[in-house]
Amino acid sequence: KNEKKHSIYKNEKNEELIQELRFEGITDSKILSAIRLVPRELFTEKLDEAYENKALSVECNQTLTQPFCTAFMISCLDLRPTNNVLEIGTGVGWTTAVISKLVKTVFTMERFKKLLDSAKKNIAKLKIENVQFKLGNGFEGWGDKILFDAIIIGAASEVVPVKLLESLKPNSRLIMPKKYDAGNQKLLLVTKKSGNFEQKELLDVKFVPLLNEASVK
């Protein structure tokens, strides 16, 4: 009985979150339904806060991104079902799972093995099979000469990593939180045009830093 009660509560909370995202301007029904399909409580021990529209802390001093932020970043990428997307900063895999519902393949990188292992378990529980994982430094990119239709970075950096720009297909987009000298951060949308990059500043945000360091076993 408890199980059933929990799932009704969970669905109500999830619907409240969807309504809140809609109210905040996320209107893309594909993105909202992807969020609806991924039970956020699987990714956090804070069950009573799982469906609140806020960032939650996870191990290794990292965070589970605020749902609005994830939804907004994804909406800026204009994803298609045929796309291959690179995600830097897997964390425990919630954003990964949401993106997996929208594209052909998600290639996701994380520098903390502990988090990557958690993400793999979480993604497996949801029977999602279009995710490839790699332990490594996001600044170095995926390697393997793969070009991506979109790149999403879940941690803030003062610079846009060059190797990531190089692994974007023409007319594709990268979104990331950019850190400024004053300590503030803004979402930055970079579009790769023929021979140059267009940059557009979006919302103020607050993310953990993107570390240009080797992975942690």
Side-chain angles (χ1 to χ4, degrees):
K1 256 209 171 133
N2 244 347
E3 281 277 296
K4 196 168 182 194
K5 202 169 158 190
H6 175 67
S7 71
I8 292 168
Y9 165 82
K10 177 189 88 181
N11 292 339
E12 272 177 17
K13 287 291 179 198
N14 204 358
E15 274 318 303
E16 280 171 23
L17 174 61
I18 300 291
Q19 293 310 327
E20 188 175 338
L21 294 177
R22 209 174 257 136
F23 180 74
E24 289 196 6
I26 304 296
T27 52
D28 187 319
S29 59
K30 288 195 194 78
I31 294 173
L32 292 172
S33 91
I35 289 173
R36 189 182 274 120
L37 287 169
V38 179
R40 201 161 177 253
E41 89 250 16
L42 256 189
F43 298 85
T44 175
E45 288 170 358
K46 300 176 177 171
L47 296 185
D48 52 336
E49 299 175 57
Y51 294 100
E52 288 183 23
N53 189 15
K54 64 179 192 184
L56 299 173
S57 54
V58 295
E59 292 181 304
C60 309
N61 290 328
Q62 301 301 297
T63 51
L64 190 51
T65 307
Q66 180 196 7
F68 171 77
C69 240
T70 293
F72 182 82
M73 288 171 85
I74 293 171
S75 71
C76 294
L77 292 173
D78 196 20
L79 299 176
R80 303 270 184 269
T82 52
N83 286 170
N84 289 326
V85 175
L86 175 62
E87 178 193 29
I88 302 298
T90 317
V92 288
W94 181 71
T95 300
T96 321
V98 172
I99 298 172
S100 77
K101 304 286 182 194
L102 299 165
V103 300
K104 185 178 162 203
T105 313
V106 185
F107 295 79
T108 186
M109 289 186 76
E110 174 54 62
R111 57 182 293 275
F112 293 103
K113 185 173 188 300
K114 195 172 192 178
L115 291 181
L116 195 67
D117 289 346
S118 283
K120 286 178 180 172
K121 284 189 190 117
N122 293 333
I123 299 278
K125 275 183 207 159
L126 293 170
K127 300 191 169 33
I128 292 169
E129 294 179 345
N130 60 335
V131 175
Q132 294 200 28
F133 300 92
K134 186 174 264 192
L135 181 69
N137 176 356
F139 269 81
E140 298 298 326
W142 189 268
D144 299 350
K145 299 274 184 282
I146 300 176
L147 291 180
F148 297 98
D149 299 291
I151 297 177
I152 184 167
I153 305 177
S157 168
E158 288 167 16
V159 295
V160 186
V162 175
K163 286 198 173 148
L164 297 182
L165 292 175
E166 287 171 355
S167 57
L168 264 185
K169 285 183 184 171
N171 301 315
S172 294
R173 298 171 178 187
L174 172 150
I175 194 159
M176 63 174 280
K178 187 168 192 296
K179 186 167 175 256
Y180 293 87
D181 289 344
N184 61 320
Q185 298 177 12
K186 278 191 187 302
L187 278 183
L188 186 70
L189 182 65
V190 182
T191 308
K192 187 173 194 170
K193 298 289 184 189
S194 52
N196 68 342
F197 294 95
E198 280 176 9
Q199 297 196 11
K200 188 174 169 192
E201 281 188 1
L202 308 166
L203 321 173
D204 285 310
V205 287
K206 194 171 181 188
F207 277 79
V208 295
L210 180 69
L211 301 172
N212 188 1
E213 294 169 9
S215 55
V216 180
K217 291 285 185 281

